[in-house]
Every structure is written in structure tokens, then in C-alpha cells.
Amino acid sequence: MTNSIAEIGGAKTILAVGTNTTAAHPIIALQMKNAVRNGAKLVVINPKEVDLCQHAHLFLQNRPGTDIPLLMAMARVIIEEGLYDAAFVEQRCEGYAEFEQSLYDFSLTEVAELSGVAEEKIVAAARLYAKNTPSSILYCMGITQHVHGTRNVLAIANLAMLTGNIGKPSSGVNPLRGQNNVQGACDMGSLPDVFPGYQKVADMTARLKFEQAWNVSLNPVPGLTHTEIFDGLYSGRIRSLYLIGENPVLSEANASHAIEAMKRCEFMVVQDIFLSETAELADVVLPAASFAEKDGTFTNTERRVQRVRKAISSEEEIKPDWWITAELARRLGGKGFDYTVPAEIFEEMAPLVPSYSGISYKRLDQGGIQWPCPDEKHGGTLFLHKDRFATASGRGRFTALNSPETAEKVDDEFPLVLTTDRSLFHFHGTMTRRVFGLNVLSKAEKLIMHPDDAALYHIEDGEKVRVVSRRAAVEVEVRISADCKPGIVSMSFHFSETPTNMLTCGEVDPIAKTPTTKVCAVRIEKIKSVEVH
Amino acid sequence: MTIATITVNGLELTVDSELTILQASMKKGIYIPHLCHHNELEPVGACRLCLVEVDGNWKTLACKTKVYDGMQVKTETDEINAIRKVALELLIADHDTDCLACAQNTNCALQRVADHIGVDTARLARMKPREKVLPVDTSNPFFDFNPNRCVLCGICVRTCDEIVNVNAIDFAYRGLGTKVAGFGDKPRLESNCVSCGECLVRCPVGALTEKNYQRPVSYVKTVCSYCGCGCGLMLGVRNNRIVTAKGEPGNKASDGKLCVKGRFGFKYVNSPERLRHPLIKRESGFVAVSWDEALDYVAEKLADSKGESFAAIASAKCTNEDNYVLQKFTRSVMQTNNIDHCARL
Ligand code: SF4
Ligand code: SF4
Ligand code: SF4
């Protein structure tokens, strides 16, 4: 997030794109609802009528995969009506002319037709966002899990820069990170192209710095991404895999490909707290401590580094992840893995990562600190891009965009669009499925289907059907609801009994390599024979 | 902050003029009996217990009246004490008295009020006994609602409205029959309640209680392990088990609040299904082995695939320290940058 959670309450307009916030980020949703209570306007853009819509002033229910046209049309309205922040564009940004040019591909009438959102609504949303400021954009997986996910994000950034809604309190471009420590995992360099602190492995200065710190020579070639790793396992290019705390059998798009890939792996080590569906496939399984049994830090979606503290001791043979990895490293001849407590790891890391340099366990005892925090005197950073952007020129770059094609198209054989969603009561599943009460609240997977489609296919509420995509088929119970538009159905992916991601498409965004799980063509087959009246 | 000087029971206090009489007095350590007041909620003045006398000539509710400079407050007079006593007696007459079996015992606002005002059992006995015992709503998997212990303070109703914005519950029926209920007075599980438990933690008495509640002996401050909000979490610990959880007051990200997963979702930590030993797959299936055996075996296997034939998948559930060590291992020992995690998913 460029801005902080607490700032959301101060926004005058909130644009929530592709996020089912009340389910996926409930505490952030409290801030949004609080802002609305205090007079803010809430605009929701989502293919599904999510719970948040109850609090929204405007709901733009677009067809899945039409976010870019919608956002570009809004930008065009803002420019044509002279509502943009000319001074901000002039002083803080670059690439405007090209961007403006690219907007002429998006006529309001065509976008309305394409997205299924009425013209007046697009105009009203654009005006609110540009005029009723500060405006804050929040977005989530609905935006990133597309073949064109990266461009979706750029479209959002365009809109924010155009109206000067960035680098100020209660504004900004705010991705809501899914897992508790996604932000931290990225910051720490659990990415194929960067060292900790986003310092490029291909960059010689960065590499020298880490070679000196770690006293080894390092490989300059960027590694493979998550999806490429699974392709590599499948093709035999990768022979051994060390997988920590993840369950690709449930979470991976096109899961049958991932399962086959892992089966082909010569040697696979899984480190987890449970014997997950993925761990079952491993050659060695290592029992790891849970968050309550170890010390450390997490970094949340607003870049706040906070202390995780050991509340109970684990059983004797359960070990923290850092300990296990360090033990392996030592056995493989690694130097500099003699940590006795996590604080030593943090002390080694902080000087190497400029935005963490001023943070220490001692300071964190007084409360979390938001990076960048370059030195011990620095109090942390509430919102980013205040005076300059993190580009070479310091200016925010507009991006010219054209209308994207979705990877999956519907046709006569697969006439419906399946889009995935989350439940408030589950998180992926490995953990929540083992909490009795959470299963009482949400027992099994449901396919959400519009009454018109249900009538068309003669399906009753609660009926079990087979959902077939170009890759696989799963069986699931139907819940008839107008939350989705006709032609669109939705499912979550928390239940191993109903592996939704077997259906979804593994095609990836060319830049971020994020697989698309949000758009998948399917058909519905009846299991129960049709009664003839 | 503007300052006001007020006198409470003859004691001069310098306080923030934005506060109510109740807030200002409580802040200075002067107790005024109350049940329906909660600092995070709009005052409603429903319990009438915080009645005070101001400037010697008028009575007002301390929870709804702001202080002003020169204000003279008396928290007790004969008249106020008489009114309070009746209000309390009416509440107790309609309340369970099996305090020892209640999860809120010693933590209860009604006990505190009774302690302050004093209870006359003979007078209580003469009052009309409660007509019927109402059924306890145990439908929610995490908490129970016992209307027989409810003092109708409305804190839960206002919490669900003002803080959670879900409005799952409200007062139903009239007069003596008044109770807190979801739509149609159906079990709480069938309402639109999202089980966040924010009402539960604010209930001043034992009407809303956590299922199988055990009072922890200590709390440990940490961070929720589910989503990226990173809510401050206080794990309640007893005998090396986590028995309960609450939000960390004043946490900058979550301001003391939690959702259903954060508050009740820690139970997986105590799950009997946890992995307990390193396992190596043999022909017969997984076999439990010692750490030395497991680590030596893995190291021996990985020694063959240093370089581009190795890959690591990190976890966004793990700590920064775990992630740092894994990427350092991958890069410096395994000599490859093949490391990624599920951020893309
Ligand atoms: S648990 Fe949360 S949603 Fe349910 S009634 Fe209480 S405050 Fe409302
Ligand atoms: S359940 Fe508790 S909080 Fe709600 S009205 Fe009754 S006593 Fe008050
Ligand atoms: S309590 Fe809920 S909202 Fe907060 S971090 Fe945990 S899962 Fe997320």
C-alpha cells in the first residue's frame, strides 16, 4: 500500500476495485465502512455483488476482465471534463501525452457495451473520484489474477496520478496483500530477480554488496518464477524442490499440472505445520513451528514491520523454519548460518536493506514501524511518494494502454465464465480447515449461479452439478443467487474435496507471471437426470 | 486540547474539556457506576446508573454530559443513591445469580456496580421473581448468548452497528420481554452475524461468553497469522496452550479489533493433526526419523543438485527472518536464484 490502513478512514472517495474486502481483509473493511459512516463516498467495481456493495454509493458490476477499459474510460471522462490535476501531472509525472493519446481507443459507449456498466455510472464514478478528494483506490486479487494483471495495476496508477491522488494522506494506490507476510517475503528477497530490499541480482553493485556480506560468489542470472518452477519440474529441468508452508495442490491455478509436476520431481522436501495434500507428495517432510511458537517479524500490507512473539513452546521435535534452513545450509557447507535467535538474523538483514536499516527488535518493542525507515532516528513512513516517485527520474510514469484480450474465451461448448472468490471464514484452507468452528460457519464449497442461468440449465438450489472447464471437471453444490450476473458463476478454493483450481487456467501475465484464476470458461452438466413433466 | 477545571466530590480536577463527566472522572480514578457506557461507542444513557448532581441544582447522566470549566459534580447524594439502588435491584431481580459458574466472574461490570451500591437480599427476595428462564443461544460455534445474564445495556447492539457496521442484532420485543436478538429472533448463526466477536469482548457481563472459556494466566503480544492486515493479537496462554485471543489495544493497524479468523482461528496451533516428527518416505510410506537423520539425508540429496536444477518455494506465512535465511541459503549455498513464493497467487 502506498498509504496506511488508518488513513482510509479519512478518504472522501474510496474506489474499491476487485476486492471482496469484508471477506478477505475484514479489518480494512471496518475502516472503509467507518469512512462511509463519516460521509465518504464508496464506489465498488466488481463482477460480483460483494457484501461491500451494501455500503456503496455506486456499484459498477463489470464483466470479468474489463477493468482496464473501465478505468481508461474513467480517465477519459476526467480529462474531457477538465477534472484532472494539471499541476500534479506537470510537476510530478511524465509520459502524459502518450497516455492521453491511448485514451482515444476507449469511447464511453464502447466501454459501456464491453463491460456491461451503464455510461452514467462510469461518468459518475469518474467525477466522484476526481472531484471528491482525497480519493483512495484499494484493490486485490480481482485485479492481479488476470493475464493482464500488471496492466490492470498500471491503469489504476494512471488514474491516481492523473488526479493527484497519490503522495498525500488518505489517497494512494493500495493493493491489499493476501497472506499475512507477503509483503515481508517480497522485502526479504524471496523473489527470483532480487536480493533483500529489491536490489537486482543482475546488478553488479548489488551483487558485490551481498557477496561481501555473505562472503561467497553469487549467481547473476535471475531465477525462475513460481509458475516457471512448476513448468521446470514438469519438463525435468528442475530436479529438486524445497517447498515451505505452501499447498499448491489447492492453491495453484491449473492444479493438475502442478501435481503432475511435483510427482515428476526427483527429490522434494516439504516443510510445514500439517501434512498437507502437497506434503503427501514429498520425499521428506519437516515439521515446522507455527507463528505462536516462534519469534520474528511480519510486515503487513501497509509496510508495517511488527514483532511476532513466541507464546508457547512447541513440542520438542518441532522447529522454527529459520533453524531448519540454517541447519541444512551448514550441512551443505554454507558459511554464516550460525544463528542462535531470530534477532541475529534481523541484525544481519537490516543494514543490507536500506528501507529496514533504522528498524531493530528493540525499537519494535515500542510498536510496529512502517518502512522506509532509513535510520534509527526515522519514525517510519505513513505514505509513499510524498515528494518524488521511486523511479530514476523521480517522476511518476503514465502508461499508454490498449484494450486487452482475456486468455480464456467462452464459446458454445464452454458458455459460462467462472471466477474465483474467497470466504471470510477460510484462508486457503490448510489452517482454517483445522479449526472446528470455522467449518461450522462455512462447511463446503458452493457454486454461485444467477437465477436466469439456473432456469436456463434447469438447475435447482442445492443441486449437485458437474463444472467442466477445458482442463478438468469438479462436482459441487449450486447456490442460486443474483450476486453474479447471468453468464457468470463463482466458487472459492478453500476445500480439498472440491479442488476449484483444477478448473482454472494456468496462463500467466507476461510481466508478473501471475496465473489467471479470475476468468475461466466452463459449462455446467447436470448429474441428476432431468425430470420430464 | 482545551482544559477545564471541574470539582468532583470536592476534589478539583484539571481535565480535557472534550470529555464527558464519566470519562473525565474515570480517567482520574473516580468511579461512577455504569453499565451501558463504552469508550468506543456513542453514549446512550440506558442504564441510568451514572446519574450525578451538577452545580448543586440539577441531575444529569454523566455519560452524556460534557464537562465545562467550573463545573461542580457530586457523584452521590441521598436521592441519587436511592434511585441507583432501585435501578440495580430491578436489574438483579431479572438476572442469574450463579456468579461462580460465570465466565465473567470477578470481571463483571454488574458485580462492580453491586459492590459499589450494595445489595439488600431481603429487599431483593420481596421482588417478583423472574417469570421464565430463557433458552441460551449456543448456535454460534465460538460464543454463546445467555439472555438471562443480559442487562440490556445495548453495547453489543451498538458495537455491531457503529464499529462492525453489520447490524446483525437489535433489541426485540417490548417492556419486560425485551431481549437482544437477530432478525426474526432466530439463532445467531442464522443471522447475518459475521462472528467477529467484537460484541463478545465488549459485553460488560456474562451474557456473551466464549465457548469453553478458560481464563488465561498471561497474554503474549504478537501479530495475526492470517491476512495482510497484520492485526495486533494478544494470545491468552495457560499451561503452554493458547486458550483465547484478543485484539491488541492501540495497535496502529487494527486499533484493537480482530475478525473471526484472528480471534478464533488460532486453534489450529493446538491441533492434534500437527506434524510432530521429521518424516522420510520409504516403500511402506512415511517413517518418523530423528532430525539428524532427516537433515543429513536432505543435505546429501541436495548436494547433487546445486545450481539451476534446484528451486525453493518460500512461504508468505513465514516470518521475515525465515524468508531471509531461505533466500540466503538458495543463493549462497545452492548457487541459484530459483526462489519465489505465492505473492503472485
Ligand atoms: S459477532 Fe460481530 S457481527 Fe456478530 S453480532 Fe457480534 S459484533 Fe455483530
Ligand atoms: S448481551 Fe451483553 S452487551 Fe449485549 S445488551 Fe446484553 S449485557 Fe449488554
Ligand atoms: S484478525 Fe482478521 S483482518 Fe486481522 S490480520 Fe487476522 S485475518 Fe486479517
Side-chain angles (χ1 to χ4, degrees), chain B residues 93-304:
Chain B
D94 202 28
H95 193 92
D96 277 357
T97 43
D98 56 343
C99 286
L100 289 180
C102 177
Q104 281 280 57
N105 190 26
T106 74
N107 236 348
C108 169
L110 185 60
Q111 284 178 338
R112 174 92 208 253
V113 171
D115 179 46
H116 180 85
I117 298 172
V119 176
D120 181 343
T121 32
R123 270 176 62 120
L124 271 179
R126 283 199 301 275
M127 295 183 93
K128 191 166 158 276
R130 186 166 58 200
E131 271 171 26
K132 59 173 185 214
V133 176
L134 298 166
V136 179
D137 182 349
T138 57
S139 63
N140 187 288
F142 300 114
F143 59 86
D144 295 338
F145 170 51
N146 184 346
N148 306 301
R149 289 181 181 154
C150 173
V151 293
L152 298 175
C153 66
I155 286 179
C156 56
V157 173
R158 282 177 285 144
T159 300
C160 198
D161 172 26
E162 293 174 30
I163 292 181
V164 192
N165 281 278
V166 164
N167 295 79
I169 43 176
D170 205 341
F171 290 116
Y173 311 109
R174 286 264 175 269
L176 270 179
T178 309
K179 74 180 264 207
V180 173
F183 185 71
D185 199 7
K186 295 215 190 73
R188 187 77 54 108
L189 190 64
E190 289 166 40
S191 72
N192 59 334
C193 162
V194 295
S195 301
C196 66
E198 287 296 330
C199 55
L200 162 76
V201 291
R202 286 180 183 74
C203 177
V205 296
L208 285 165
T209 49
E210 201 172 334
K211 277 202 159 72
N212 307 319
Y213 178 74
Q214 283 187 293
R215 191 167 296 170
V217 297
S218 62
Y219 278 98
V220 177
K221 193 170 20 168
T222 185
V223 184
C224 174
S225 67
Y226 282 104
C227 86
C229 294
C231 296
L233 185 69
M234 309 279 284
L235 290 176
V237 179
R238 175 172 180 162
N239 194 19
N240 204 37
R241 281 177 77 81
I242 303 169
V243 290
T244 186
K246 62 180 186 186
E248 180 202 342
N251 179 285
K252 291 265 173 48
S254 55
D255 193 24
K257 289 150 195 110
L258 294 174
C259 80
V260 57
K261 282 171 290 203
R263 189 180 312 281
F264 302 114
F266 59 81
K267 292 186 172 102
Y268 73 91
V269 172
N270 299 335
S271 166
E273 287 177 49
R274 285 284 298 276
L275 282 167
R276 297 201 150 66
H277 301 277
L279 306 171
I280 293 184
K281 198 181 262 164
R282 304 249 159 83
E283 264 130 62
S284 55
F286 282 119
V287 181
V289 297
S290 71
W291 271 104
D292 272 334
E293 185 177 347
L295 291 168
D296 285 342
Y297 179 64
V298 174
E300 179 197 315
K301 287 283 189 179
L302 292 186
D304 292 345

Side-chain angles (χ1 to χ4, degrees), chain B residues 40-117:
Chain B
E40 291 170 289
L41 302 169
E42 291 293 322
V44 287
C47 72
R48 322 304 285 183
L49 289 168
C50 69
L51 199 69
V52 291
E53 188 188 275
V54 173
D55 295 348
N57 57 18
W58 57 291
K59 277 182 274 309
T60 187
L61 293 174
C63 71
K64 295 192 80 165
T65 314
K66 281 203 174 149
V67 297
Y68 52 76
D69 209 35
M71 186 186 235
Q72 304 274 335
V73 181
K74 268 198 187 143
T75 68
E76 292 188 61
T77 64
D78 290 346
E79 194 188 358
I80 287 172
N81 284 343
I83 297 172
R84 273 191 194 142
K85 194 154 187 114
V86 175
L88 173 69
E89 281 166 353
L90 288 170
L91 279 170
I92 297 176
D94 202 28
H95 193 92
D96 277 357
T97 43
D98 56 343
C99 286
L100 289 180
C102 177
Q104 281 280 57
N105 190 26
T106 74
N107 236 348
C108 169
L110 185 60
Q111 284 178 338
R112 174 92 208 253
V113 171
D115 179 46
H116 180 85
I117 298 172

